[in-house]
Amino acid sequence: MFEQDIVRHSGKHVHQGGLVIFVVEGRGYTVVDGVRYNWKKGDLIVLPIKLGGVEHQHFNSVEGEQCRWIAFIYGAFE
C-alpha cells in the first residue's frame, strides 16, 4: 500500500495490473491503454490484470488543487 500526491500527472508506465486505487482527495482522470476514465474523491479505480501489463497514467484535473490517492497492490497468499 502507498499514498501518492498527483500535482499535475504521474509518469506513463506499464505493470501487470491488479492495482486498486482509492481517491482520498481531488479530481482527475486516468488513461488506461488509451482510454480515459474520470474520477473524484471517494471513487475506487481498479487496473485490470493483463498479460504483458497495462499502460496507464494519472492526471490531476484542477491545477493547484490537491489530488491524493492510496494504492493497494495485490499480493498472492501462499
Side-chain angles (χ1 to χ4, degrees):
M1 180 173 88
F2 64 92
E3 180 179 4
Q4 181 170 357
D5 290 326
I6 304 169
V7 177
R8 296 179 84 191
H9 59 81
S10 69
K12 186 184 297 185
H13 55 287
V14 176
H15 57 75
Q16 185 66 32
L19 189 70
V20 176
I21 299 168
F22 178 73
V23 181
V24 176
E25 189 174 6
R27 293 176 289 155
Y29 62 95
T30 297
V31 177
V32 179
D33 289 334
V35 179
R36 178 181 168 146
Y37 298 93
N38 295 320
W39 43 258
K40 65 187 179 319
K41 178 181 176 179
D43 284 349
L44 191 67
I45 304 162
V46 180
L47 295 178
I49 296 174
K50 183 175 159 187
L51 187 62
V54 59
E55 181 181 85
H56 56 285
Q57 187 172 15
H58 312 285
F59 296 85
N60 183 341
S61 290
V62 184
E63 189 172 337
E65 185 176 295
Q66 188 159 12
C67 187
R68 293 184 309 125
W69 47 254
I70 298 172
F72 301 88
I73 301 171
Y74 171 75
F77 293 100
E78 293 186 34

